[in-house]
Amino acid sequence: MRALSGLWRWRHNPLRRTTDLAEAWVALVALLLITVGAPVTGCLVGASAQDSLQRSARHQQHGRRLVTAVVVRALGGTLPETDPETASGRQTHSRVLAYWAAPDGTRRHGPVLADLRTPHRGDHFGLWTDPHGRITTRPLDSATATTHAVLAGLGAALLTAALVETGRRLTVWRLVRRRYARWDQAWDRAGPDWGKAGTGI
């Protein structure tokens, strides 16, 4: 609104300087870019991220399998949950030696993290594997992919707005510098006795 009022105020003002009008136009363009350009950029980035993340989520859900693993023995130590996609960040994992069947039927074994607080021999727990039976993380779900896409869109919109505002401030700073330089030139042209004009001294 200040940009619009500035343009209107300086439209026919005889005291208007070129830099005043330029500053008002820069503010108006920045306002339009922030109110229109930033949301459009955010929507485009969010939509692109949504497509990419949903495609990745479908690929992961198709390629990863939840199998049942059996504890052979505990290896000691309890670690906090490291998978950010889990529902509870307070869940703990215990290191165990376990065996499980790969999707192709082969038997696998090795040290893994089990979501068991006190694991005992023969305990069962879920384990995510790839098609070859190698341990992997849980697949990305659709809701989490959408959340990440929305955050990417918001981040892009905020970054665009910040860049536009930074550009506006830099442009205004240069206009003010130019204005001060012109004032200095005008004072130099007036000479050192500008206040004594017509006094006969």
Side-chain angles (χ1 to χ4, degrees):
M1 292 307 295
R2 282 182 58 193
L4 293 174
S5 65
L7 278 174
W8 185 260
R9 187 175 68 243
W10 290 113
R11 205 163 48 111
H12 300 298
N13 193 320
L15 299 177
R16 182 193 70 196
R17 296 165 295 198
T18 307
T19 54
D20 294 326
L21 194 58
E23 188 175 335
W25 275 110
V26 166
L28 178 61
V29 170
L31 178 66
L32 290 174
L33 287 175
I34 289 174
T35 56
V36 177
V40 168
T41 301
C43 288
L44 291 175
V45 169
S48 176
Q50 172 78 338
D51 289 343
S52 176
L53 288 169
Q54 291 296 343
R55 196 166 40 250
S56 177
R58 285 192 298 273
H59 177 72
Q60 289 181 13
Q61 289 165 6
H62 177 72
R64 298 180 185 182
R65 298 287 182 268
L66 182 62
V67 299
T68 301
V70 181
V71 175
V72 175
R73 65 182 168 86
L75 294 178
T78 300
L79 301 173
E81 175 62 71
T82 57
D83 186 359
E85 308 303 331
T86 55
S88 171
R90 294 182 297 276
Q91 192 174 10
T92 57
H93 278 348
S94 301
R95 292 184 67 243
V96 299
L97 182 64
Y99 66 87
W100 63 94
D104 61 4
T106 59
R107 183 169 167 159
R108 299 289 183 116
H109 69 280
V112 296
L113 294 177
D115 54 350
L116 302 169
R117 191 171 295 279
T118 54
H120 300 289
R121 181 181 178 87
D123 286 349
H124 293 71
F125 62 95
L127 188 67
W128 287 97
T129 66
D130 65 10
H132 304 289
R134 292 186 294 255
I135 300 169
T136 186
T137 57
R138 75 172 58 232
L140 183 66
D141 61 79
S142 179
T144 303
T146 299
T147 301
H148 290 332
V150 169
L151 291 175
L154 286 174
L158 290 174
L159 181 61
T160 301
L163 288 174
V164 169
E165 177 61 14
T166 301
R168 185 195 70 81
R169 287 176 181 266
L170 183 61
T171 304
V172 169
W173 176 75
R174 294 188 68 175
L175 288 171
V176 170
R177 292 272 305 245
R178 186 180 302 170
R179 184 183 303 157
Y180 288 157
R182 287 181 179 170
W183 281 353
D184 288 341
Q185 291 170 3
W187 283 115
D188 288 342
R189 281 194 303 270
D193 17 313
W194 62 271
K196 303 175 184 176
T199 58
I201 298 176

